[in-house]
Structure formats: C-alpha cells, structure tokens
Amino acid sequence: QTIFYHQCAGWSHERRFLAVRYLKKVDKSGLFDMSDYDYFCYVTTDESLTPSFFL
C-alpha cells in the first residue's frame, strides 16, 4: 500500500493516488508458495483517506 501524487496529461493539477494490493490466494502446490494479488489505484482529493480504508 502506498500514497503518491501525480498529474496526468490534461489535468489542471496533481491528484492523490492510493495504491492497494489485495491477496487473492496462495498456491502451495509447488516447491515455493506462490501468492496471487489484485492491484487497485484509487484517486481522491480526500486527505483523510489511507490505503487501509480500502482493505
């Protein structure tokens, strides 16, 4: 989980992005445990939100 600021092309100002990783499953069938994740980015101007809000 992380927070970063970025201004995309065509936007008048930068916005706040919250990147979140969700664990989908763990595959233990092989030699090593393999984790499968989903990743999401949320864009907000609300400074009170943290990535943990979305978990």
Side-chain angles (χ1 to χ4, degrees):
Q1 286 67 287
T2 190
I3 298 171
F4 62 94
Y5 292 84
H6 179 71
Q7 182 174 344
C8 293
W11 290 6
S12 60
H13 60 279
E14 67 181 14
R15 291 181 173 85
R16 187 169 182 250
F17 286 74
L18 292 89
V20 180
R21 178 177 76 169
Y22 296 101
L23 178 62
K24 288 174 35 175
K25 65 179 180 176
V26 177
D27 181 5
K28 296 181 180 230
S29 63
L31 183 59
F32 300 102
D33 292 351
M34 298 296 293
S35 300
D36 189 18
Y37 294 94
D38 276 336
Y39 298 88
F40 297 92
C41 269
Y42 300 95
V43 182
T44 181
T45 56
D46 186 347
E47 292 290 333
S48 68
L49 290 179
T50 63
S52 61
F53 174 81
F54 298 100
L55 296 178

